[in-house]
């Protein structure tokens, strides 16, 4: 009887032992006085989780690498899919703001400005001190006609005591937002600040001339454009604006000369032909006016984006 009982006990112990891993290991509990115990299922779960995390990290880096390679090949959608896959693998990775920034740039390149701005907002909620991201959001909000939000981002950055942001660009964005908000005095000060930083800026004098003209300072506006065109004689926007000022002053031959030059520089721009047609009307040259209007119409038909 005792022999039978002993045999059964040995078989039971052997079966219980076979349920353990083939290589039984121990764990030293460092936070519990160095107690030694056998590994349990929890320890193996931790090991599996660590292994999975390591595999996810490798895949994360691979997706990012493939994403940048796709960007290099101008495969924007493929790049976006890799970047999004990387974010799913490691949603809390410390470098994810760079990944989201790339997705935002893809959205911007495709004209999805609202999507890009939303991504920049996500980044700034977690890392509000990323100045480069804030100025990009300000520029996007300007394009979206969200003038208040654009100005607010510029105000935040201009209040910083030290920033690597291009201050010239920052003042120009805020000046443009101020125009949208009809804060013309503030816009004028910002454009003047841009010109102090860069007297050769190609766009600030044009915008400033428009502001001065709207305030009834037509001669001052024209003088500013004349000085600008001396330095940038092939600036089409400046030539067209000066022509419009000259038309107001009944200087039709001068306006025609500016429009002729502008058209020689930008022959596919319908607005230039329409403006010159108006000029020919004033010069009593109805046939030339008719031909310019037909040309503008044909260009709009060929290039619907000009409509």
């Amino acid at each position: 009887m005792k022999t039978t009982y002993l045999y059964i006990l040995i078989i039971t112990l052997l079966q219980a032992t076979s349920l353990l891993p083939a290589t039984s290991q121990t764990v030293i509990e460092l936070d519990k006085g160095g107690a030694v115990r056998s590994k349990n299922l929890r320890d193996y779960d931790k090991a599996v989780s660590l292994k999975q995390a390591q595999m996810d990290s490798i895949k994360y880096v691979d997706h990012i690498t493939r994403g940048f390679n796709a960007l290099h090949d101008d495969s924007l959608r493929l790049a976006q899919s890799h970047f999004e896959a990387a974010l799913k693998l490691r949603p809390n990775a410390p470098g994810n703001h760079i990944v989201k920034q790339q997705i935002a740039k893809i959205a911007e390149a495709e004209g999805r400005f609202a999507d890009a701005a939303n991504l920049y907002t996500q980044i700034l909620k977690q890392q509000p001190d990323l100045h480069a991201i804030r100025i990009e959001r300000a520029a996007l909000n300007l394009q979206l006609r969200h003038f208040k939000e654009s100005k607010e981002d510029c105000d935040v950055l201009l209040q910083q005591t030290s920033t690597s942001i291009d201050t010239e660009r920052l003042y120009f964005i805020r000046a443009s937002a101020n125009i949208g908000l009809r804060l013309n005095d503030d816009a004028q000060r910002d454009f003047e600040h841009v010109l102090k930083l860069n007297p050769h800026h190609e766009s600030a004098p044009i915008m400033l001339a428009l502001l001065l003209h709207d305030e009834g300072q037509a001669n001052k506006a024209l003088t500013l454009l004349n000085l600008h065109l001396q330095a940038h004689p092939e600036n089409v926007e400046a030539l067209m604006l000066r022509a419009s000022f000259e038309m107001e002053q009944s200087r039709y031959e001068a306006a025609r000369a500016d429009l002729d030059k502008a058209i020689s520089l930008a022959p596919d721009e319908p607005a230039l032909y329409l403006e010159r047609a108006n000029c020919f009307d004033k010069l009593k040259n109805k046939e030339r006016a008719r031909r310019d209007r037909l040309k503008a119409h044909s260009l709009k038909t060929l290039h619907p984006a000009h409509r």
Side-chain angles (χ1 to χ4, degrees):
M1 183 69 178
K2 287 183 180 181
T3 304
T4 304
Y5 177 79
L6 183 59
Y7 177 78
I8 294 171
L9 181 60
I10 291 171
I11 294 299
T12 304
L13 288 174
L14 286 172
Q15 288 176 340
T17 304
S18 68
L19 295 175
L20 297 175
T23 55
S24 181
Q25 300 178 38
T26 59
V27 173
I28 300 176
E29 299 279 10
L30 296 177
D31 58 344
K32 295 182 180 180
V36 179
R37 64 172 176 78
S38 297
K39 271 193 171 183
N40 54 34
L41 291 176
R42 201 169 177 185
D43 296 311
Y44 286 103
D45 286 343
K46 288 180 181 178
V48 170
S49 297
L50 179 60
K51 183 67 175 177
Q52 184 63 50
Q54 290 171 339
M55 290 176 64
D56 286 349
S57 293
I58 293 170
K59 291 179 182 178
Y60 175 87
V61 172
D62 182 61
H63 276 301
I64 291 176
T65 302
R66 290 175 182 270
F68 278 107
N69 287 339
L71 278 183
H72 184 267
D73 294 334
D74 291 329
S75 301
L76 300 185
R77 285 305 172 95
L78 179 60
Q80 181 172 337
S81 67
H82 280 300
F83 290 140
E84 288 175 345
L87 291 175
K88 287 181 181 178
L89 279 170
R90 297 189 60 196
N92 299 315
N96 276 353
H97 67 279
I98 298 173
V99 182
K100 289 180 180 179
Q101 183 180 9
Q102 297 307 314
I103 297 174
K105 286 184 178 297
I106 292 171
E108 188 175 354
E110 294 179 340
R112 296 181 288 111
F113 300 134
D115 291 343
N118 288 335
L119 279 165
Y120 286 141
T121 297
Q122 290 178 25
I123 296 171
L124 288 169
K125 281 181 179 178
Q126 295 180 333
Q127 295 175 273
D129 293 331
L130 290 176
H131 298 167
I133 298 296
R134 191 172 295 277
I135 194 172
E136 292 304 327
R137 186 174 70 174
L140 280 171
N141 276 327
L142 186 63
Q143 295 193 63
L144 291 166
R145 303 181 69 81
H146 298 165
F147 302 121
K148 181 174 177 290
E149 292 82 356
S150 179
K151 176 180 168 60
E152 286 173 350
D153 273 339
C154 292
D155 288 342
V156 168
L157 291 170
L158 286 169
Q159 289 167 5
Q160 301 292 325
T161 55
S162 61
T163 176
S164 60
I165 292 301
D166 183 352
T167 310
E168 176 188 319
R169 183 186 180 208
L170 196 54
Y171 274 108
F172 188 86
I173 293 172
R174 191 173 73 171
S176 302
N178 280 328
I179 289 178
L181 294 168
R182 299 185 180 181
L183 301 172
N184 289 355
D185 289 344
D186 291 342
Q188 182 174 332
R189 281 192 292 272
D190 279 345
F191 282 130
E192 288 172 348
H193 206 113
V194 171
L195 289 174
K196 285 179 182 177
L197 292 168
N198 178 10
H200 302 291
H201 197 283
E202 289 202 16
S203 300
I206 299 172
M207 302 299 292
L208 187 53
L210 274 170
L211 286 173
L212 291 170
H213 177 269
D214 289 347
E215 291 173 359
Q217 302 182 58
N219 288 332
K220 190 175 180 179
L222 188 55
T223 299
L224 181 61
L225 278 180
N226 288 338
L227 291 171
H228 180 61
L229 282 165
Q230 286 177 15
H232 304 280
E234 297 187 348
N235 189 313
V236 173
E237 289 78 11
L239 285 166
M240 187 174 181
L241 184 59
R242 187 169 70 175
S244 70
F245 290 169
E246 291 163 341
M247 290 275 288
E248 288 179 358
Q249 296 176 351
S250 300
R251 298 172 56 202
Y252 304 125
E253 288 293 351
R256 178 192 168 179
D258 277 342
L259 290 167
D260 285 347
K261 184 170 185 179
I263 287 172
S264 71
L265 294 168
D268 294 330
E269 179 51 59
L272 292 174
Y273 291 94
L274 290 174
E275 187 67 13
R276 193 172 68 175
N278 293 332
C279 186
F280 279 130
D281 281 337
K282 296 295 183 180
L283 291 168
K284 309 300 183 183
N285 193 333
K286 300 299 182 182
E287 177 58 23
R288 291 295 303 274
R290 185 186 69 83
R291 282 156 51 186
D292 271 357
R293 289 193 173 94
L294 286 174
K295 179 67 174 179
H297 177 73
S298 66
L299 286 171
K300 286 181 179 180
T301 303
L302 290 171
H303 308 286
H306 287 301
R307 291 177 182 174

